[in-house]
């Protein structure tokens, strides 16, 4: 029970830190897995962040406000337009949005290819809410 108490305190500290960043933070979640979308929305439920969800890269790129988000969680394997195609499109638009890759793909070549696009972090699925919050706080801290 002591371990659980410390985990809860850590989660509360993360939520407080994220909440102190204000309520104008916009996060885009680009993933064809509705469970992942809901997991991320739930992870940020104690904040006032605006979370936009997209089932594929094509829908995300089509939404002008989405690509101006403060943070993007991006899956690599999606129908219609995958994560690499999204990063390529953002690159041609000179959009400088912090990206955290969410993927089950962990091969070295895949990770290196993503990092060449300038992604801020790479998280391997399955994900945990605490990890999502911790990584988001780390990346957003660099941007503010």
């Amino acid at each position: 029970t002591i371990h659980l108490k410390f985990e809860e305190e850590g989660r509360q500290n993360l939520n407080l830190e994220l909440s102190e960043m204000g309520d104008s933070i916009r996060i885009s979640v680009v993933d064809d897995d509705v469970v992942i979308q809901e997991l991320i929305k739930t992870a940020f439920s104690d904040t006032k962040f605006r979370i936009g969800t997209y089932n594929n890269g094509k829908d995300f790129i089509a939404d002008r406000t989405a690509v101006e988000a403060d943070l993007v969680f991006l899956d690599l394997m999606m129908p219609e337009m995958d994560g690499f195609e999204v990063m390529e499109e953002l690159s041609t638009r000179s959009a400088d949005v912090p990206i955290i890759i969410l993927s089950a793909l962990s091969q070295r070549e895949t990770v290196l290819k993503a990092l060449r696009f300038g992604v801020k972090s790479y998280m391997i699925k399955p994900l945990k809410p605490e990890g999502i919050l911790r990584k988001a706080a780390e990346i957003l801290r660099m941007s503010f």
Side-chain angles (χ1 to χ4, degrees), residues 1 19 21 24 29 37 39 41 44 56 58 69 82 86 89 91 93 96 100 110 112 126 130-131 133-134 140:
T1 58
S19 294
M21 292 180 182
S24 63
V29 181
Q37 292 177 9
L39 174 69
K41 286 183 348 188
F44 289 101
N56 60 62
K58 186 176 178 182
D82 69 29
V86 168
E89 179 64 25
S91 176
R93 294 183 187 187
D96 188 25
I100 297 174
T110 305
L112 291 175
E130 296 82 23
L133 290 172
R134 191 172 300 109
L140 288 169

Side-chain angles (χ1 to χ4, degrees), residues 57-105:
K58 186 176 178 182
D59 293 344
F60 170 71
I61 291 296
D63 185 348
R64 286 277 180 206
T65 60
V67 298
E68 296 171 359
D70 296 295
L71 181 62
V72 175
F73 287 96
L74 178 64
D75 186 19
L76 291 179
M77 303 304 291
M78 296 176 289
E80 295 189 56
M81 181 182 236
D82 69 29
F84 289 114
E85 292 169 314
V86 168
M87 290 185 286
E88 184 67 40
E89 179 64 25
L90 292 174
S91 176
T92 62
R93 294 183 187 187
S94 299
D96 188 25
V97 58
I99 297 173
I100 297 174
I101 297 293
L102 308 175
S103 183
L105 302 175

Side-chain angles (χ1 to χ4, degrees), residues 28 30 40 70-76 83-84 87 96-106 110-125 127-128 130-143:
S28 293
V30 189
I40 293 174
D70 296 295
L71 181 62
V72 175
F73 287 96
L74 178 64
D75 186 19
L76 291 179
F84 289 114
M87 290 185 286
D96 188 25
V97 58
I99 297 173
I100 297 174
I101 297 293
L102 308 175
S103 183
L105 302 175
S106 60
T110 305
V111 175
L112 291 175
K113 183 177 178 182
L115 292 174
R116 279 189 223 110
F117 278 103
V119 300
K120 300 298 181 187
S121 189
Y122 196 108
M123 297 181 75
I124 305 295
K125 293 178 181 179
L127 305 168
K128 294 184 179 181
E130 296 82 23
I132 292 167
L133 290 172
R134 191 172 300 109
K135 191 55 71 176
E138 176 185 316
I139 301 302
L140 288 169
R141 220 180 290 124
M142 291 189 296
S143 301

Side-chain angles (χ1 to χ4, degrees), residues 45-64:
S45 63
D46 289 338
T47 70
K48 294 182 181 178
F49 295 179
R50 289 176 286 162
I51 312 290
T53 57
Y54 303 88
N55 293 320
N56 60 62
K58 186 176 178 182
D59 293 344
F60 170 71
I61 291 296
D63 185 348
R64 286 277 180 206

